[in-house]
Amino acid sequence: MMKIKFTLLALLVSLLASAQKFDTEANRLMTDVFKENESGGIALVVKGGEVLYRKAFGMADMELDVKMTPENILRIGSITKQFTATAILKLMEEGKIDLQDDITKYIKDYPTQGHRITIEHLLTHTSGIKDITRMKTWTAELRRKHFTPIEKINFFKNEPMDFIPGEQFKYNNSGYIILGYIIEIVSGKKYSEYIDENFFKPLEMNNSFYESTSDIVKNRAKGYQKQEGKYKNANFLDMSNPYAAGSLISTVDDLYKWNNAVFNYKIVSKSTLDKAHSSYKLKNGELTGYGYGWDLNSIKNNKVILHGGAVSGYLAFSLYIPQKDIFVAVLSNCTCNRPRKTALKLAILALNQ
């Protein structure tokens, strides 16, 4: 009996030491990037359902000296794309959409320039449609204005195509703007309403929203940028502009709720999700490293499903390692920080834990 007690005590001491080491190393990674009186960052690391790390550093509001907390709400940028993609897949499972549908089935007058552009092309960034964010005519002044989804589509739809659909991969926000509009056409609801009613409310993601800059949002952190080494308030962006490609705001905790629901097949089936998390194959057989709304990579021979986000004043990054059930999210309220690199380092720490 004494031997068993001693073994259990030794195990407990070892676990505590390991947890303390993880905390120390994670703190070092975060403080290397997020300084005490500068723009802030939040990190969440969960392994096997257990929270290994959940901390915030820096400032949520530099002008009012408000420190960042794990509860703060930040823009997640293109992590929005996995919500848009999942909405499309949900509608597909309901028999309302086919991924091989030509987009002219939903937008009759869309000029496909003699090509067949499918919903799957939009999901996988292989449509060849011009990305609005790369257009010189998409100026800082225009980004301050409010646009309806169809007004945004009309802005880029007549641009020359970059390549024949399915022949190349080129990251493309325009495609996800079109997907958001298709969700509205098929569901009969605004994109923001669809996401709220089908995802946020059922999953109790109570701190996630389609952002409105005019609404009062408790715990929303201010966004910053750096110019010539000095902090500035982020340039104003009307959030109708990123739309279904990047207009959602959330917390690290809500992103974990979302990830947990997705990978427990509470939203779409396993077979559908497996397809979403498989690398799309181009016409020449080359794999793109991107599925439907998620990037695909590996760490230490473990498959990693991930995505980043960048939108005026904010950077975000989240990843999931299914084999080890490790989730990591890092959010930042400045475009000057490196949440991707920090999140990957935290994931390696968790793998070694």
Side-chain angles (χ1 to χ4, degrees), residues 8 44 53 83 104 111 121 168 171 206 209 241 295 342 353:
L8 289 173
L44 175 68
Y53 191 79
F83 291 85
T104 55
H121 287 140
Q168 293 183 43
Y171 192 82
N206 300 323
F209 309 94
N241 290 319
D295 265 313
T342 304
Q353 175 74 352

Side-chain angles (χ1 to χ4, degrees), residues 197-217:
E197 292 175 15
N198 287 274
F199 299 153
F200 292 163
K201 285 179 179 175
L203 299 177
E204 297 183 355
M205 296 174 65
N206 300 323
N207 295 298
S208 298
F209 309 94
Y210 182 94
E211 187 174 21
S212 163
T213 50
S214 60
D215 287 350
I216 302 299
V217 179

